[in-house]
Amino acid sequence: MYHAWPSRAPRRAPSGRAGIAWPDEIYQALEPAHRWVWGRGWVALEFRQGLRNWTLPALVAAMLEVFRVVGLDRPDLYVPASKCVFAAVGVATAWATARLARRMGAGPLESAAAGALWALAAPAIYFAPRGLSEPLSALPVTLGLSFVLPAGASRRDRWLGASLLGLAVLLRLQDALVCVAVLAVWLLRRRWRESLEVAAVLGAWALLFGLIDRVTWGDWFHSAFAYWRYNWVQGKGELFGASPWSYYLHVLWTSMPTVALVLLVGSALAVRRAPALLGVVALFLAVHMGIPHKELRFILPVLPALMALAGVGLTVASERIGWRLPVGLAVLAALVSAARFHALTFGDLGAYPGREQVSAYQDFAPVNRLLLVAGGQGDLCGLKVEAVHIAWTGGYTYFHRDAPMYSHLGPPRDAGHFNYVLTLPQAVPASAVVAQDGPVVLARLFDGPCVPDPGYRADLP
C-alpha cells in the first residue's frame, strides 16, 4: 500500500538545484531510494536486470528516511538537503586528499595545496552535490589509500585502508581496479605477510558484496556478472558512444586547464618519491582509457589521488628551489578554476556531442521545477510527461505523489489515466495552463477522477 502524501503545493525549488548532469544521479541513487522510503519510483534497467549492487541506494534511502523522520518530507526540502550531504562528502574528500598527500611524502603546505586542488577544481565542484557513485566513492578510495598504501603502514592502517577500499567497491564496482593495484604494490614490495592481510580484508569485503547480491538479487555476485555480460559480452556499453584513448587527457584540460597543468608537472616530479601512488592512479586511468565509452565522471574516484600525487611533486619542487613558490602557484591555479566553475559547458566536460556550447547547469531544470508544482496539485490523479524523455527528469524524487506518472510513450490523453500533462505550450489550449517554466508548461486536461490503470508499471523506458 502506498503512502497517502499531503497535497499542499511545495515551494518552488531554487533554480540551481533542479538541473541534471546525467540521469544516473537520479535513477541510480535517489529514485530507487525514494521508492524504498515512500513506495513510488521509476525502476531503471539496471534495477530490473540486476546490474547494480544495492549499497548506494540503501545508503541514500537511509538518509531520506532520516529526513522523513525529522520533517524534511517534501521534495523542495529533501532534494536540497540530499545535495548538501553529497557536497559534504566532497569537502571530506578534499581533507582526505591532503591526508593522502602527507602520508605519501608531501610537506604540510603542499598537502594542503593538494586538498585545495580538489576542493576548488571546477569539475569537482560541479559533480559534488550530485548523487553519482563516482564522486561519492572518491572519499573511501582516497582515505583508504592514505591508510593502506604507505610502505610503513601499520596492521591497523592496512586493515582500515583495505576496508575503505572494499566499501568503495560496494559503491562503484570499477573501484575494484584500485584494490587490484594496491595488492600489486604490496606484492611488488615482497611484503608477503602484509600482502596476505590486505588480500584477506579485500576478500572479506568481496564476500560482503556477493552476499548483498545474494540477498537482493538471489545470486552471489549477480550484479557484477550481469554488468559484465551487459557491457562486454553483449556490448551494450558502446551504445552510449565511444571516444578515443586521449579523451580523458583532453577533458581534464578543457574542464580545468590551470589545475591540469599543476597535475601534469606535479605528477612528473613525484615519480621517484611516490611510485606506488603513481602506479595505482596509472592503472585505473589506463584501463579506463582503453574502454570505448568514456565520461569524465568515470575517473573521479582517483582524481583526488592524482591531486595528492601532485602535492608530492610540489614538495619536490619546493625543496629544489628552496622556497614555496610552487605552492602559491598551485593554489592560484585552483582559485582560477573555482572562479570559472559556473561557466562550465557540456563541451568543457566532454559530454553530449552537438551541445558543446550549452551550459552544464540548469539542464532540464524547468521540467523538474514543474514536477514540484504538479506534485502540489490537489486534484491531480495522474501525470504524463510529454515534453521530454522521462529519464531526463527528476522522476518521483521531484514529483513525490502517490499517482501514476507516465512517460511520453505512455497511453494517449483520451485514455483518461492522467489529468495533467507536462508538455509544450502549443500542445494545449492557453486556458489549460496551470504553470509555465521556460519552454515547458503544466496543463490540466480535466478535473478528474482518472480512469484506473491496473496495468501501470513504473519501468523507466
Side-chain angles (χ1 to χ4, degrees), residues 197-269:
E197 291 175 354
V198 171
V201 174
L202 293 175
W205 279 88
L207 286 176
L208 178 59
F209 185 107
L211 178 61
I212 293 172
D213 276 1
R214 176 67 177 85
V215 172
T216 55
W217 295 119
D219 294 308
W220 288 86
F221 302 102
H222 177 94
S223 63
F225 290 129
Y227 181 85
W228 173 266
R229 287 193 300 269
Y230 183 85
N231 286 282
W232 297 104
V233 177
Q234 301 174 19
K236 296 293 184 65
E238 294 189 36
L239 296 177
F240 296 97
S243 301
W245 69 269
S246 59
Y247 168 90
Y248 290 113
L249 301 178
H250 173 75
V251 176
L252 286 175
W253 177 257
T254 57
S255 63
M256 51 177 195
T258 55
V259 172
L261 184 60
V262 174
L263 296 182
L264 176 63
V265 176
S267 299
L269 291 173

Side-chain angles (χ1 to χ4, degrees), residues 287-314:
V287 171
H288 279 76
M289 290 169 75
I291 297 173
H293 179 58
K294 300 176 178 68
E295 296 177 33
L296 175 57
R297 63 190 176 101
F298 292 169
I299 65 169
L300 290 182
V302 299
L303 197 54
L306 183 59
M307 293 173 174
L309 187 66
V312 177
L314 291 174

Side-chain angles (χ1 to χ4, degrees), residues 397-429:
T397 299
Y398 280 77
F399 181 43
H400 197 64
R401 278 292 292 273
D402 186 13
M405 180 183 183
Y406 296 95
S407 74
H408 68 290
L409 300 174
R413 294 180 183 182
D414 58 13
H417 296 316
F418 51 90
N419 64 336
Y420 278 79
V421 290
L422 208 161
T423 189
L424 302 177
Q426 59 269 28
V428 291

Side-chain angles (χ1 to χ4, degrees), residues 161-175:
S163 293
L164 286 167
L165 294 182
L167 173 61
V169 176
L170 293 184
L171 298 177
R172 181 163 180 79
L173 179 61
Q174 291 86 337
D175 292 343

Side-chain angles (χ1 to χ4, degrees), residues 93-185:
T93 305
W95 165 78
T97 302
R99 188 183 195 280
L100 176 58
R102 186 70 173 135
R103 294 273 287 173
M104 299 310 297
L109 285 178
E110 291 82 2
S111 298
L117 288 174
W118 173 259
L120 299 175
I125 297 173
Y126 177 78
F127 285 109
R130 306 180 187 279
L132 292 165
S133 63
E134 296 90 353
L136 293 176
S137 70
L139 175 58
V141 166
T142 310
L143 193 57
L145 288 174
S146 75
F147 282 104
V148 75
L149 199 56
S154 65
R155 173 178 292 180
R156 170 186 171 277
D157 284 353
R158 291 193 301 272
W159 286 38
L160 178 57
S163 293
L164 286 167
L165 294 182
L167 173 61
V169 176
L170 293 184
L171 298 177
R172 181 163 180 79
L173 179 61
Q174 291 86 337
D175 292 343
L177 289 169
V178 178
C179 301
V180 171
V182 166
L183 183 57
V185 166

